[in-house]
């Protein structure tokens, strides 16, 4: 089929109706999750009590209890037609991994039975050497273990019982995203609790909440299959802008095309069955771009759910003739995709720590956590950027339509005013919600409407939005755990320091609220004109201003990654018990390695497409014109009046030569880079190749503009970015 057939086929595709579920969402919500209701139904009393104690209080599960739990789970799973079981884990690859085992065992009488016990529930041993591990493998051989994380419920996908697990080496080193995330959740809780206790003596735990918003693109699968770059790298390495893309802003929140709506419905139903509280769906800014967001939840589970949804989207899209693109920048010239991480803290007594309180005490607690988060973000701004840096997200950051490559925080006018006022007034000034007690001079007030109506700044990578911070720089394909782990750890470190500062003030016989405010004031003074920035994050002036403020403006991913190994990061991570030094070093190796491989693959695909697709098409066009000229000469004896054709041929020659020369240079650069053994140095070399990809793209996109449309071998942007 040629391109025109594919385009016609995609245009004529009819919507595939979504599955019709039985009942309302509340009837089937969580149907495929072994949640507390199922636990009560399928577990004996001892197993149930032990499991709940394990989930709620972190108690270890003994082998006997695990057997009891497995028994109940098996019964439930068999009722759903389950035949296989897998430990579901999160290696350092941004996707999840699973190794399926059938439930069958010989029964000793010549037949088989379905067997599942505590041992297979609690632990398995996949080959760690097959996953990125940054050298930990070399030291600790290939042994890696997956171990059940009972705080994230077991679920069913298709015919398989999936057990969420951590993935660790023989000696307990984390080989995944989940382990450090869980450690960081505990670190925040441990550090925050003594401070919460100043305000609430009933709290025993601080919880981290995550509400992710997943952006993605859909493309028709027929057109996708004709684009080797999309298929292999997840993005278009070439392609001229469509005459119309997002200029008219008519896609954002526009009507959802029926084909897409049916896909979304299927996705929502499947998500709801898996207990993911999917809440919103809408068109995004770019053509073919969409977003999905659930109600926020406890961070570890919310993150698992994000990964589940990413898997679901990928499979469900195929039923509707689509391919989901989770790449951060599949198309040049239109917006890329991010994954906003809405993040907040709360107590097990139901208090939100980043939302204004009901009274002066509640407000002081809010301001305390608010300010400390900002201080953590300021201290580790370069590191936070490093957590979201990747070969793919690099195309989005700083590209004038997504968060800039500078981490600052947006407070909004209200909170900026509150902080400035606090600096001026005596430390025992109560912070009131305006309107509650009438206005009086000298009070620091948070207007009542602010509570659910914060102002917005789309250009900020870390914005306060009323009861949470929104870390917007995270990439759409990333595992959120990478960013959230660092954020949690940085906040934990800051809270530990803050507690010491408050204790020092208390030692001077001050009232608690005064001691807290006296400890807060120097922090407020140090952040208010540094990390806090409400202006336009996309502007050139901001870059200069950020340098003056001492914020990091590095844009090269290999350089950003170095932050993890710098003393400030190592101190912070080891003090909070989130990463050991060897884990940090190993992770950096992995990050550089993945960076190199991604750019290497892109560069190979680019060179081959340039050589096998683009230049032949251009040459064919050239031959066509030359034939015309020859005919002209034959008929008229000259080529007078054919200046335009000659001009086109000259242009074609120019672009073709440019492409061939750049492609050759790129091949050589790759060869040189591949010879480098140090992963960082190699990544630096590949960073240059990543830049060269843009340069190689230029003449290709120019060719697309002049070559006969009929001869162009690849679906064009205007065709890819169009769903009827
Ligand atoms: P927007 O697109 O304007 O940023 P959305 O409504 O699409 O907002 O998404 C907001 C996200 O923030 C949702 O996932 C929501 O559940 C989440 N969220 C709301 N409150 C909190 C909170 N306190 N902590 C964490 N996430 C939250
Ligand atoms: Mg958002």
């Amino acid at each position: 089929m040629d391109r025109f057939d594919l385009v016609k086929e995609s245009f004529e595709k009819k919507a595939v109706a979504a599955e019709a579920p039985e009942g309302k969402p509340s009837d089937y919500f969580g149907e495929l999750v072994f949640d507390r209701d199922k636990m009560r139904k399928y577990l004996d009393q001892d197993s149930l009590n032990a499991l709940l104690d394990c989930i709620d209080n972190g108690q270890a599960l003994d082998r006997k209890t695990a057997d009891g739990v497995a028994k109940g789970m098996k019964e439930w799973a068999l009722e759903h037609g389950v035949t296989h079981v897998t430990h579901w884990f999160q290696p350092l690859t941004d996707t999840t991994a699973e190794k399926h085992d059938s439930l069958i065992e010989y029964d000793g009488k010549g037949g088989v039975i379905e067997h599942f016990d505590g041992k297979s529930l609690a632990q398995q041993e996949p080959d760690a050497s097959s996953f990125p591990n940054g050298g930990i493998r070399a030291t600790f051989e290939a042994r890696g273990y997956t171990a059940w994380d009972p705080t994230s419920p077991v679920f069913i996908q298709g015919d398989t019982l999936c057990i969420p697990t951590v993935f660790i080496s023989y000696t307990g080193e984390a080989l995944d995203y989940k382990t450090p995330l869980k450690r960081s959740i505990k670190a925040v809780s441990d550090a925050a609790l003594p401070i919460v206790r100043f305000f609430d003596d009933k709290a025993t735990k601080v919880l981290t909440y995550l509400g992710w918003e997943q952006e993605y693109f859909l493309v028709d699968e027929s057109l996708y299959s004709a684009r080797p770059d999309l298929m292999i790298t997840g993005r278009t390495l070439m392609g001229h802008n469509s005459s119309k893309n997002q200029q008219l802003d008519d896609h954002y929140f526009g009507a959802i095309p029926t084909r897409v709506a049916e896909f979304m419905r299927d996705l929502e139903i499947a998500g709801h069955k898996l207990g993911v509280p999917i809440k919103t769906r809408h068109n995004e800014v770019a053509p073919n771009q969409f977003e999905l967001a659930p109600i926020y939840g406890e961070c570890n589970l919310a993150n698992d759910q994000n990964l589940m949804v990413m898997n679901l989207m990928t499979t469900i899209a195929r039923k509707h003739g689509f391919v989901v693109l989770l790449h951060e920048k599949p198309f040049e010239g239109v917006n890329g995709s991010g994954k906003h991480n809405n993040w907040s803290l709360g107590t097990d007594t139901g208090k939100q720590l980043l939302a204004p309180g009901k009274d002066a005490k509640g407000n002081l607690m809010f301001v305390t956590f608010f300010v400390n988060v900002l201080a953590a973000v300021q201290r580790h701004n370069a590191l936070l950027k490093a957590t979201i840096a990747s070969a793919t997200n690099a195309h989005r950051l700083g590209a004038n339509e997504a968060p800039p490559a500078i981490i600052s925080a947006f407070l909004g006018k209200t909170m900026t005013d509150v902080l400035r006022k606090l600096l001026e007034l005596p430390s025992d000034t109560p912070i009131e919600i305006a309107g509650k007690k009438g206005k009086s001079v000298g009070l620091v007030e948070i207007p009542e409407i602010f509570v659910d109506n914060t102002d917005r700044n789309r250009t900020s990578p870390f914005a306060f939005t009323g009861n949470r911070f929104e870390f917007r720089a995270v990439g759409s394909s990333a595992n959120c755990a990478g960013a959230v782990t660092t954020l949690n750890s940085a906040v934990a470190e800051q809270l530990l320091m803050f507690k010491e500062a408050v204790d020092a003030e208390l030692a001077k016989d001050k009232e608690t609220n005064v001691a807290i405010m006296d400890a807060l004031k120097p922090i407020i003074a140090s952040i208010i004109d540094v990390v806090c920035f409400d202006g336009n994050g996309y502007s050139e002036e901001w870059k200069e201003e950020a340098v003056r403020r001492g914020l990091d403006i590095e844009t090269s991913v290999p350089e950003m990654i170095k932050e993890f190994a710098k003393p400030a990061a190592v101190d912070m991570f080891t003090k909070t018990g989130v990463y050991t030094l060897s884990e940090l070093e190993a992770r950096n190796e992995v990050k550089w390695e993945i960076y190199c491989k991604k750019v290497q693959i892109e560069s190979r695909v680019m060179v081959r497409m340039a050589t096998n697709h683009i230049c032949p098409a251009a040459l064919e066009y050239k031959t066509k014109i030359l034939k015309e000229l020859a005919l002209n000469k034959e008929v008229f004896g000259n080529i007078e009046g054919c200046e335009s054709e000659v001009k086109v041929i000259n242009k074609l020659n120019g672009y073709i030569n440019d492409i061939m020369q750049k492609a050759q240079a790129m091949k050589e650069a790759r060869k040189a880079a591949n010879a480098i053994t140090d992963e960082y140095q190699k990544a630096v070399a590949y960073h240059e190749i990543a830049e060269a990809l843009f340069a190689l793209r230029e003449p290709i996109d120019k060719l697309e503009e002049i070559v006969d449309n009929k001869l162009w071998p690849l679906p064009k942007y205007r065709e890819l970015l169009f769903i009827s």
Side-chain angles (χ1 to χ4, degrees):
M1 280 212 277
D2 70 11
R3 192 179 111 231
F4 294 96
D5 294 328
L6 294 173
V7 171
K8 191 159 173 286
E9 185 182 282
S10 101
F11 188 75
E12 286 173 352
K13 269 190 194 145
K14 294 272 173 290
V16 177
E19 173 203 5
E22 280 176 32
K24 314 181 285 302
S26 58
D27 298 330
Y28 55 81
F29 187 83
E31 185 179 287
L32 298 176
V33 181
F34 197 70
D35 53 20
R36 286 175 192 241
D37 281 347
K38 314 288 188 320
M39 289 174 197
R40 281 188 206 99
K41 185 166 169 209
Y42 289 89
L43 299 186
D44 61 70
Q45 199 58 45
D46 286 350
S47 305
L48 175 68
N49 292 344
L51 181 55
L52 292 181
D53 203 25
C54 166
I55 295 171
D56 296 333
N57 309 316
Q59 292 303 318
L61 266 193
D62 61 36
R63 179 61 203 277
K64 189 172 148 285
T65 321
D67 276 338
V69 173
K71 185 163 168 278
M73 267 179 196
K74 187 180 89 175
E75 191 189 334
W76 170 71
L78 290 178
E79 282 174 17
H80 281 86
V82 162
T83 54
H84 286 70
V85 59
T86 182
H87 273 202
W88 185 77
F89 59 104
Q90 303 170 22
L92 301 176
T93 56
D94 286 343
T95 51
T96 52
E98 26 193 281
K99 176 176 155 251
H100 295 203
D101 284 321
S102 158
L103 288 175
I104 58 164
E105 283 285 346
Y106 283 122
D107 64 358
K109 298 175 213 149
V112 293
I113 50 163
E114 279 74 27
H115 175 85
F116 180 58
D117 62 9
K119 187 163 171 280
S120 15
L121 168 66
Q123 192 173 305
Q124 280 185 8
E125 197 182 325
D127 179 5
S129 62
S130 317
F131 296 97
N133 56 38
I136 282 186
R137 171 193 54 190
T139 333
F140 305 103
E141 299 169 11
R143 272 167 193 266
Y145 291 97
T146 50
W148 182 32
D149 167 20
T151 57
S152 182
V154 164
F155 59 95
I156 294 173
Q157 247 179 347
D159 60 4
T160 305
L161 183 68
C162 301
I163 302 167
T165 58
V166 293
F167 182 37
I168 49 180
S169 77
Y170 185 62
T171 44
E173 253 122 347
L175 297 172
D176 66 349
Y177 281 107
K178 197 188 226 320
T179 310
L181 177 65
K182 285 175 69 75
R183 292 176 187 157
S184 77
I185 290 169
K186 181 167 184 314
V188 175
S189 182
D190 290 350
L193 194 59
I195 297 163
V196 168
R197 284 282 177 82
F198 288 131
F199 305 94
D200 174 358
D201 54 14
K202 299 224 168 45
T204 63
K205 201 153 95 177
V206 171
L207 301 152
T208 311
Y209 292 110
L210 170 67
W212 45 266
E213 300 164 56
Q214 178 74 54
E215 290 181 335
Y216 60 97
F217 279 86
L218 287 176
V219 285
D220 183 89
E221 65 182 352
S222 320
L223 299 171
Y224 170 88
S225 67
R227 292 280 317 213
D229 47 356
L230 268 184
M231 285 185 73
I232 300 173
T233 72
R235 74 172 175 116
T236 53
L237 297 168
M238 53 194 69
H240 198 277
N241 271 348
S242 168
S243 319
K244 169 180 181 287
N245 45 52
Q246 63 188 47
Q247 311 89 324
L248 300 178
D249 285 333
D250 51 356
H251 191 252
Y252 193 45
F253 284 10
I256 300 172
T258 321
R259 256 182 93 192
V260 177
E262 293 296 329
F263 155 74
M264 286 179 168
R265 208 170 125 66
D266 258 340
L267 178 60
E268 217 169 75
I269 294 165
H272 286 165
K273 285 187 176 173
L274 283 169
V276 186
I278 299 175
K279 179 91 174 158
T280 55
R281 56 183 190 201
H282 60 78
N283 286 3
E284 259 304 324
V285 176
N288 285 30
Q289 195 189 25
F290 306 92
E291 183 189 289
L292 166 151
I295 301 171
Y296 70 98
E298 186 280 316
C299 180
N300 178 40
L301 178 59
N303 190 49
D304 282 358
Q305 293 183 335
N306 177 234
L307 294 161
M308 279 152 85
V309 166
M310 285 161 80
N311 287 344
L312 280 181
M313 298 172 97
T314 310
T315 40
I316 294 174
R318 296 309 291 269
K319 172 181 158 192
H320 296 270
F322 290 126
V323 174
V324 165
L325 304 178
L326 291 170
H327 193 289
E328 283 78 1
K329 190 77 179 173
F331 304 99
E332 269 319 296
V334 298
N335 274 12
S337 297
K339 180 149 52 195
H340 294 178
N341 279 207
N342 293 270
W343 174 94
S344 67
L345 298 171
T347 64
D348 57 350
T349 50
K351 293 202 170 61
Q352 295 205 44
L353 299 178
L354 292 170
K358 292 197 186 73
D359 49 22
K361 191 170 151 193
N363 283 329
L364 181 58
M365 178 163 80
F366 157 54
V367 170
T368 299
F369 283 94
F370 180 76
V371 167
N372 277 295
V373 170
L374 293 170
V377 171
Q378 174 162 314
R379 179 173 309 106
H380 293 292
N381 72 88
L383 181 67
L384 281 165
K385 191 168 65 184
T387 65
I388 52 92
S390 68
T392 53
N393 205 18
H395 294 284
R396 186 172 154 256
L397 295 176
N400 237 25
E401 37 93 350
I406 302 164
I407 302 294
S408 63
F410 169 83
L411 271 53
K413 186 168 179 331
T414 304
M415 286 313 295
T416 308
D417 289 350
V418 165
L419 294 192
R420 290 203 190 278
K421 206 152 180 205
L422 285 174
L423 281 181
E424 288 163 15
L425 293 170
S427 293
D428 60 354
T429 312
I431 314 166
E432 300 284 0
I433 303 275
K436 285 245 158 125
K437 290 197 174 162
K439 283 210 173 231
S440 66
V441 191
L443 276 186
V444 176
E445 288 174 329
I446 301 174
E448 208 160 4
I449 81 152
F450 162 84
V451 179
D452 36 37
N453 189 12
T454 15
D455 36 4
R456 300 242 154 178
N457 178 334
R458 290 272 159 202
T459 72
S460 177
F462 196 82
F464 181 65
T465 48
N467 62 353
R468 62 192 186 271
F469 281 98
E470 190 170 342
F471 192 14
R472 302 200 180 114
V474 184
S476 50
S477 72
N479 184 323
C480 303
V484 176
T485 300
T486 299
L487 180 57
N488 285 347
S489 316
V491 170
E493 179 201 41
Q494 172 62 31
L495 292 173
L496 291 173
M497 293 193 285
F498 182 71
K499 175 68 172 46
E500 280 177 21
V502 177
D503 287 345
E505 297 299 330
L506 285 171
K508 296 176 201 159
D509 270 347
K510 294 182 181 174
E511 291 288 322
T512 310
N513 61 332
V514 175
I516 290 173
M517 192 48 78
D518 281 346
L520 278 176
K521 278 183 171 175
I523 306 178
I524 298 174
S526 71
I527 58 167
I528 193 80
D529 293 314
V530 182
V531 78
C532 304
F533 175 66
D534 283 4
N536 177 5
Y538 298 165
S539 68
E540 275 307 308
E541 302 86 74
W542 172 227
K543 270 187 214 153
E544 291 160 26
E545 171 71 23
V547 174
R548 278 195 294 277
R549 292 180 179 209
L551 297 173
D552 185 80
I553 59 153
E554 182 61 62
T555 54
S556 151
V557 173
E559 295 302 328
M560 288 182 207
I561 293 171
K562 274 193 148 174
E563 291 298 326
F564 285 94
K566 291 189 179 165
V570 175
D571 262 15
M572 181 270 276
F573 282 127
T574 48
K575 194 158 54 178
T576 51
V578 173
Y579 291 115
T580 63
L581 180 60
S582 75
E583 284 171 344
L584 284 170
E585 285 170 347
R587 260 155 221 264
N588 270 13
E589 295 289 304
V590 170
K591 289 201 170 88
W592 283 315
E593 192 186 323
I594 291 178
Y595 180 85
C596 291
K597 284 186 177 156
K598 289 214 167 151
V599 179
Q600 183 184 50
I601 293 168
E602 286 192 344
S603 146
R604 282 186 186 146
V605 173
M606 181 81 162
V607 167
R608 283 178 203 168
M609 284 175 76
T611 322
N612 302 339
H613 289 72
I614 306 304
C615 288
L619 287 170
E620 198 177 337
Y621 184 43
K622 180 178 153 186
T623 311
K624 200 172 151 189
I625 304 175
L626 280 174
K627 277 188 187 153
E628 252 177 61
L629 289 175
L631 199 60
N632 209 83
K633 188 150 192 206
E634 211 178 294
V635 176
F636 300 109
N638 59 49
I639 54 164
E640 266 170 42
C642 297
E643 292 82 8
S644 306
E645 284 92 328
V646 174
K647 237 189 201 160
V648 173
I649 289 186
N650 287 336
K651 273 192 179 174
L652 288 172
N653 285 338
Y655 293 139
I656 294 170
N657 288 334
D658 193 16
I659 290 171
M660 292 314 247
Q661 195 196 341
K662 283 176 176 160
Q664 187 55 34
M666 188 174 280
K667 267 191 188 166
E668 278 155 24
R670 233 167 40 219
K671 223 184 206 168
N674 292 343
I676 303 172
T677 46
D678 178 81
E679 289 294 346
Y680 161 70
Q681 294 295 350
K682 194 174 185 168
V684 170
Y686 265 106
H687 178 63
E688 304 241 319
I689 297 177
E691 300 284 310
L693 285 170
F694 286 108
L696 178 49
R697 178 185 184 131
E698 248 171 70
I700 295 178
D701 290 354
K702 289 267 197 267
L703 276 181
E704 188 183 320
E705 249 186 328
I706 57 169
V707 168
D708 184 348
N709 185 43
K710 285 203 286 293
L711 298 176
W712 198 253
L714 304 169
K716 297 185 172 184
Y717 271 26
R718 63 161 189 262
E719 295 152 352
L720 286 165
L721 291 174
F722 185 89
I723 295 176
S724 59

